[in-house]
Amino acid sequence: MHIPLDRQQDVPLYLQIEEALRRAILSGVFVDGDKLPSTRTLAAELAVSRLTVDNAYAELASKGFLHQRRGSGAYVLHPGARPAQPQPTSDTPFPAERFTTLTSRLDGYPDTPLPDNIINFAAGVGSPKVFPQEEFRKILLSVLSRHAEEAFGYGEYCGYYPLRDTLGRILTAQGIPTQAEQVLITNGSQHAISLIVQSLLEPGDTVIVEEPTYAEALGLLRLHRLNIVTIPSDRHGMQVEHLPALLEKHRPKLIYTIPNFHNPTGRCMSEARRRRLLALAQHAGVLILEDDFVGDLRYNGKHLPSLRAQAQPGAVMYVSTFSKMLLPSMRIGYLVADSEQYQRVARLKHVDSFTSSNLIQRALDAFVTIGRYDKQLRRAGRIYRQHRDAMVTALQQHLPHGCHFETPEGGLFIWLTLPAAVNNETLMPVAWRHGVTFARGECFYAQEQRGTHGLRLNFAANTPPLIEEGIARLCRAINEVIAAK
């Protein structure tokens, strides 16, 4: 079997093998029921490890192209031999309730992926093909072989201490002085935000958020019956000149902000506004919650100091995650807080979820400690910058008159503003018919109607060719809606 492998590519070898075999199945080279070579045979032919071929076969099986029979081998499942998924057609109503949600994501049916012809710009994470699956798998197996008994235990409820120490040293090197005792490991950054809200706020308390902001944070604040007050933002981030009046009028307990590569807009708060925000919050005695979910993903422009790095002790709590850079299913985030705040949040975590996965924490610490996280960060930054540039170029070529967007210096998203004549309620079903979808702006506003002309586009989750095609489809849909007015 001839499968050309390019060992200089950023794409892992197992994904190159998976793609070649999938194309062969779709083109009819293999038919339903054909037996593929054993992993040992194919590994020898391609001069790769058996684990690489195992991973390729597992990827094919997860996508429904392969059936592995224990003791027998791997057999092709041709898509033509399976019942076809219903595809959207011009006379099929857009499934609004099933595909448009009040959250920031649009992942399709609960148990069924989006149809194959839909290009999805609505995801909230990066591309699975960029995640270092094979390297992490090796580290996980190493941890299991050397420390299985300890790794299978509950572990410390504050988190695996070596990982907390590693994070403290990384943050300190980035200008955020941090001790291990200030780091609390959580089940993703959403869990960290939830713990802070529950432990420090009470129903009826006021929280100031940027407009727009992270949809899941809005959902969390609503769930706990908190009063949400919004402050406008522009290309330089939160418009802090509005903050004194809001502080005076509403007496908030918390200011929630995403200063780096904001979700959904991709903007960064300017250095001058960061200093002004800190000064105003400190004068008013208001805690700041800094959500730095993809702060490491910078493609150009200068590094901006963290709010926590410039703040007085106790003034800023810091939240981040590994999920966006590594594996979303890893669900490892963390928060950094000072003594009194830390103890309150840690006690709540103990009774709320007890511990985070001890096994995954140990594997993650090994991954970070040996320098592979830095390598992964550089690799992801290089690939995602190419994806961002591909989307910017496509938007510049196809975007209809009256639409506007900003080019982010990092992160995962581009925020697109539609002309007054087009709103998401009208556009989304038309875009669906053209084979593309996105995260609708209403999700990111406390008052949903204010987001009807905005949409979030994820450039990280798709390849440049899919990005170019998807943007062309989206722009055709926008033009169709404009023409119908």
Side-chain angles (χ1 to χ4, degrees), residues 156-412:
E156 303 172 64
Y157 73 88
C158 289
Y160 181 52
Y161 190 87
L163 175 60
R164 292 160 60 200
D165 185 61
T166 298
L167 288 171
R169 288 187 282 106
I170 291 174
L171 291 170
T172 300
Q174 294 175 349
I176 310 173
T178 306
Q179 300 294 322
E181 290 74 17
Q182 296 173 297
V183 178
L184 180 71
I185 303 299
T186 61
N187 302 318
S189 59
Q190 179 74 8
H191 185 217
I193 298 169
S194 177
L195 291 173
I196 291 169
V197 166
Q198 292 181 72
S199 61
L200 303 181
L201 303 178
E202 296 180 358
D205 284 345
T206 294
V207 179
I208 291 180
V209 303
E210 293 147 324
E211 185 176 63
T213 193
Y214 174 44
E216 306 291 2
L218 289 174
L220 182 65
L221 298 177
R222 293 187 186 109
L223 177 66
H224 293 287
R225 302 193 302 278
L226 297 166
N227 180 36
I228 302 171
V229 172
T230 60
I231 183 169
S233 61
D234 59 20
R235 64 190 184 93
H236 299 296
M238 181 191 296
Q239 294 180 307
V240 294
E241 63 268 24
H242 296 282
L243 195 54
L246 294 176
L247 292 171
E248 176 68 25
K249 179 178 180 181
H250 297 283
R251 306 289 182 180
K253 293 289 185 67
L254 182 72
I255 298 173
Y256 171 73
T257 181
I258 310 173
N260 295 320
F261 315 128
H262 180 267
N263 181 6
T265 65
R267 297 163 175 163
C268 279
M269 189 186 299
S270 69
E271 194 166 353
R273 289 187 180 181
R274 293 175 191 234
R275 291 195 298 267
R276 180 65 172 153
L277 169 60
L278 287 168
L280 290 170
Q282 182 176 341
H283 183 264
V286 180
L287 177 68
I288 295 174
L289 174 51
E290 178 180 13
D291 186 349
D292 195 24
F293 79 113
V294 285
D296 287 340
L297 279 176
R298 176 173 287 280
Y299 315 130
N300 55 270
K302 71 172 185 176
H303 172 78
L304 294 171
S306 162
L307 293 172
R308 182 169 172 85
Q310 305 173 83
Q312 297 295 319
V316 175
M317 296 183 73
Y318 179 91
V319 167
S320 191
T321 180
F322 285 97
S323 295
K324 301 296 187 291
M325 278 300 302
L326 297 174
L327 304 172
S329 62
M330 186 181 296
R331 304 310 302 145
I332 295 294
Y334 60 94
L335 64 84
V336 181
D338 295 300
S339 181
E340 182 181 347
Q341 298 161 343
Y342 185 95
Q343 292 303 321
R344 293 176 66 179
V345 177
R347 284 195 296 268
L348 177 61
K349 190 210 170 178
H350 189 206
V351 299
D352 171 80
S353 54
F354 198 50
T355 63
S356 301
S357 170
N358 191 21
L359 172 61
I360 296 299
Q361 287 184 74
R362 288 170 177 267
L364 179 58
D365 181 57
F367 186 87
V368 173
T369 301
I370 63 176
R372 293 189 180 177
Y373 182 74
D374 287 338
K375 177 184 176 183
Q376 167 64 12
L377 184 62
R378 291 191 298 271
R379 177 170 174 263
R382 184 170 63 253
I383 294 172
Y384 290 158
R385 177 174 181 166
Q386 295 171 355
H387 292 194
R388 180 204 62 177
D389 292 346
M391 181 171 283
V392 168
T393 299
L395 287 169
Q396 289 171 339
Q397 291 176 347
H398 301 289
L399 203 60
H401 178 73
C403 296
H404 304 281
F405 74 95
E406 300 164 12
T407 302
E409 294 182 336
L412 305 172

